[in-house]
Structure formats: structure tokens, C-alpha cells
């Protein structure tokens, strides 16, 4: 079987009902996509398949066409320069960080579909669960990207390190 992941075609062997997540993590070594709940509720496993955010923990690998383009967090940007990744870092969105790759993938798909989302759009699209409760910063980071990356537009007073 073959998958097109992050612009490269990979061959793999797996049972037809193996979740895509396990092929990505265990066979292809792409461990940025996380296992959270295993029932498509938390979103830690979110990847893009042909541009659509998809929960990979419940998607059987046999249902992904070899011509489909899968993008994982590793393929979003090699160096963290994607606007969503930059906003996430600038606004200190992650706390524990476990859910953040899935959040970033969901947010980047939303912004591609709706470059200037409303709060209602964000609420509808961002169904990922964050146990640390960073939802307000997630929303602010998405608005920052929509406004061209101006971190000051978020209205947060974030100070980098101590200047003592």
C-alpha cells in the first residue's frame, strides 16, 4: 500500500482496518500527530487529507486513496514558520502542548477555508479538546493570523523572559 504524506510517497504494510494514525506514527515515524482518545473526540490526531482536517485515529488506512495528499504537523512547516505556528508561539498558546499539533492543524485548515473567521466560525471549527483550557489564546492566535500576524492585535501583554 502507498500513501502520499507531506509531499512524499511512502510504501507500508498494514491491515486494512489499521487507523491512519498508527501508520503515520509507527511505520512512517511522524510522531507529531498524537494519540489522545482513540474515538475522534479530542482532535490530537488531526491531519489534513486533501486539505480537510481529519481525525486520523479512527480513519482506517484502507479508506485513504494513494492519490490523496496527507499533511501532518511535520509537513505544515519544516521550521515552524507557518503563520499559525508563529502565532501560537508568539501568544504562548500551548501549556502542556499535547493537543497543540492537532489544534494547529485544525486552525490552519479553518484559516485556509475562511481567512477572516468570526468567533462563531472558530467555535464551530475548533472542536479539539485542550485539557489545559487554552481556548481563549487559541481564538486570539487565529485572529492574529487573520489580521496578518500582528501579535499586538491580540491584546495580550506577554513579556519574554526576565530582563533583570
Amino acid at each position: 500500500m502507498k500513501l502520499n504524506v507531506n509531499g512524499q510517497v511512502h510504501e507500508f504494510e498494514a491491515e486494512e482496518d489499521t487507523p491512519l494514525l498508527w501508520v503515520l506514527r509507527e511505520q512512517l515515524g511522524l510522531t507529531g500527530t498524537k494519540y489522545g482518545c482513540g474515538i475522534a473526540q479530542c482532535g490530537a490526531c488531526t491531519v489534513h487529507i486533501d486539505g480537510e482536517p481529519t481525525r486520523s485515529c479512527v480513519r482506517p488506512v484502507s479508506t485513504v486513496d494513494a492519490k490523496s495528499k496527507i499533511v501532518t504537523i511535520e509537513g505544515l512547516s519544516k521550521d515552524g514558520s507557518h503563520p499559525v505556528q508563529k502565532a501560537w508561539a508568539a501568544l504562548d498558546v500551548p501549556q502542556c502542548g499535547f493537543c497543540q499539533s492537532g489544534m494547529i492543524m485544525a486552525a490552519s485548515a479553518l484559516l485556509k477555508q475562511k481567512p477572516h473567521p468570526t468567533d462563531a466560525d472558530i467555535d464551530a471549527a475548533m472542536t479539539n479538546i485542550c485539557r489545559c483550557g487554552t481556548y481563549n489564546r487559541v481564538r486570539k492566535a487565529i485572529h492574529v493570523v487573520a489580521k496578518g500576524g500582528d501579535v499586538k492585535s491580540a491584546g495580550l501583554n506577554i513579556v519574554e523572559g526576565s530582563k533583570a
Side-chain angles (χ1 to χ4, degrees):
M1 296 168 71
K2 294 181 182 182
L3 289 175
N4 180 335
V5 182
N6 300 331
Q8 291 186 311
V9 175
H10 298 271
E11 289 190 26
F12 67 95
E13 289 185 27
E15 298 292 325
E16 289 186 3
D17 62 346
T18 301
L20 173 61
L21 173 65
W22 297 121
V23 172
L24 295 172
R25 289 184 58 82
E26 302 297 326
Q27 294 197 32
L28 305 184
L30 298 169
T31 57
T33 304
K34 304 297 184 196
Y35 173 82
C37 65
I39 57 172
Q41 294 297 305
C42 74
C45 67
T46 302
V47 298
H48 297 170
I49 299 179
D50 294 328
E52 292 296 318
T54 303
R55 307 281 169 98
S56 64
C57 71
V58 295
R59 181 75 184 259
V61 72
S62 61
T63 66
V64 182
D65 187 282
K67 294 177 184 172
S68 295
K69 293 182 172 131
I70 301 167
V71 177
T72 67
I73 190 71
E74 293 91 347
L76 193 60
S77 165
K78 300 269 187 230
D79 60 1
S81 63
H82 188 280
V84 174
Q85 291 170 308
K86 289 168 76 173
W88 246 243
L91 298 181
D92 291 333
V93 172
Q95 286 184 23
C96 83
F98 191 83
C99 67
Q100 296 305 309
S101 62
M103 287 271 200
I104 289 170
M105 296 304 287
S108 63
L110 166 64
L111 287 159
K112 190 167 188 171
Q113 293 171 352
K114 294 185 179 189
H116 301 284
T118 64
D119 283 347
D121 293 332
I122 294 169
D123 292 347
M126 299 301 296
T127 59
N128 302 51
I129 295 172
C130 175
R131 291 181 181 186
C132 300
T134 64
Y135 303 109
N136 290 333
R137 286 185 187 250
V138 165
R139 177 180 285 160
K140 287 185 182 290
I142 291 169
H143 284 305
V144 162
V145 175
K147 292 178 182 174
D150 177 17
V151 176
K152 291 180 182 173
S153 71
L156 297 174
N157 187 18
I158 297 172
V159 179
E160 295 281 331
S162 171
K163 303 224 180 193

